[in-house]
Amino acid sequence: MVVTVQRDFYGNGYLIKTSELTLGSCQPGSQTSNTIVVFNNNVEACGASLQLTPDFFVYSTILNYNPVSSNAIIRANPAAVPIMCYYPRHGNVSSKAIIPTWAPFSTTVSTDERLAFSMYLMTDDWSSRRSSSVFQLGDIFYIEASVMTENHIPMILFVDSCVATTTSDVNSSPSYQIIAFNGCLVDGTQDDSSSAFRSPRSRLDKIQFTVDAFRFIGTDASMIYITCSLRATRANQTLDPMNKACSYSKNTRSWSALEGSNDICRCCDSGNCAPAPLGQSRRWGRIYEGSRGIQKRETGKYKSR
């Protein structure tokens, strides 16, 4: 029995790991390459079962895909694909449909004084708000945040942090940081992520970024909560490690700034992006909520469901 599996298993451009596939109890064979995984085993091996029919010997086994992750999240559903060999002829390979794991994603906004912060899911061309609130793994969140400044001087908007949880409590567990360290889109450092800020901005009081869809491991919860801290400051604010929007490039293995010098993103690797009080260094913890830092203006706290 020879079974060949494309490493682009779901056809979404992400290559699965060889170690995540098994055929019954058997591991992939030596013919495996960068694009395909090959199993070449005796039909009676790997725990296959035999069924006798009036016309055929039917050998049956299961191709198992079990994605693994070193983080609290995973971006792919497991799969069990039945494989059957009919003698004297071969059969087919089939799979059940993937069941969506996402529940409605809506938004609430809190404002501080006269600044009105908002954040919405957008269509993939950024032209309008997204009408559907249901996602499947492999989809992408197109997220747009903005601030209405009314009579304020011109202002620029930053996303200091975003954390995902399975409940409305931002301090609950499990949790996963999407943006941290005052504007570092840390989700983009993951091997299976293309998350990034959109460049250039259309307006200073608006910021857009993408996040690859994910779910939490070890829970049946079908809803995630994303809590973000948005901050607006004067448009001529000096760009520095506290005032930045940084995306990670896997091609160059480095951070790039949406505006200003890329040097302001160097702290994204260490997490030491806050100013050091009284000559001492400071590092932020896992959850970042509310305002912090210096030279800030009104801060809005954004929670989405």
Side-chain angles (χ1 to χ4, degrees), residues 17-29:
K17 300 175 182 177
T18 302
S19 59
E20 296 173 330
L21 283 176
T22 58
L23 183 65
S25 59
C26 289
Q27 302 297 319

Side-chain angles (χ1 to χ4, degrees), residues 253-265:
R253 297 183 180 180
S254 62
W255 292 90
S256 60
L258 184 59
E259 298 98 6
S261 169
N262 291 337
D263 290 342
I264 64 177
C265 299

Side-chain angles (χ1 to χ4, degrees), residues 117-136:
F117 294 89
S118 61
M119 190 151 63
Y120 300 102
L121 283 172
M122 306 295 290
T123 57
D124 56 7
D125 61 359
W126 302 101
S127 62
S128 60
R129 297 182 191 176
R130 193 175 191 270
S131 59
S132 174
S133 58
V134 178
F135 292 89
Q136 293 185 357

Side-chain angles (χ1 to χ4, degrees), residues 3-161:
V3 179
T4 301
V5 185
Q6 297 293 326
R7 289 189 63 193
D8 186 3
F9 192 70
Y10 286 122
N12 56 11
Y14 292 117
L15 302 184
I16 64 177
K17 300 175 182 177
T18 302
S19 59
E20 296 173 330
L21 283 176
T22 58
L23 183 65
S25 59
C26 289
Q27 302 297 319
S30 59
Q31 295 174 293
T32 294
S33 69
N34 292 332
T35 58
I36 61 173
V37 178
V38 179
F39 297 88
N40 190 343
N41 305 100
N42 189 293
V43 291
E44 297 177 342
C46 309
S49 62
L50 171 62
Q51 179 185 5
L52 300 179
T53 71
D55 299 314
F56 301 101
F57 292 93
V58 183
Y59 290 91
S60 302
T61 187
I62 299 293
L63 175 68
N64 294 295
Y65 170 49
N66 292 300
V68 298
S69 174
S70 58
N71 298 303
I73 66 165
I74 197 165
R75 301 181 194 272
N77 278 321
V81 183
I83 306 291
M84 293 179 288
C85 280
Y86 289 74
Y87 283 88
R89 63 184 179 87
H90 290 281
N92 67 339
V93 179
S94 62
S95 174
K96 295 182 179 180
I98 298 173
I99 302 175
T101 59
W102 291 90
F105 184 112
S106 58
T107 61
T108 60
V109 179
S110 63
T111 60
D112 185 5
E113 295 180 0
R114 289 168 293 175
L115 292 184
F117 294 89
S118 61
M119 190 151 63
Y120 300 102
L121 283 172
M122 306 295 290
T123 57
D124 56 7
D125 61 359
W126 302 101
S127 62
S128 60
R129 297 182 191 176
R130 193 175 191 270
S131 59
S132 174
S133 58
V134 178
F135 292 89
Q136 293 185 357
L137 296 180
D139 290 343
I140 295 177
F141 299 148
Y142 294 84
I143 302 174
E144 178 182 283
S146 61
V147 58
M148 183 179 297
T149 57
E150 296 184 354
N151 295 324
H152 277 273
I153 61 174
M155 307 195 81
I156 185 172
L157 179 67
F158 296 101
V159 183
D160 279 347
S161 66

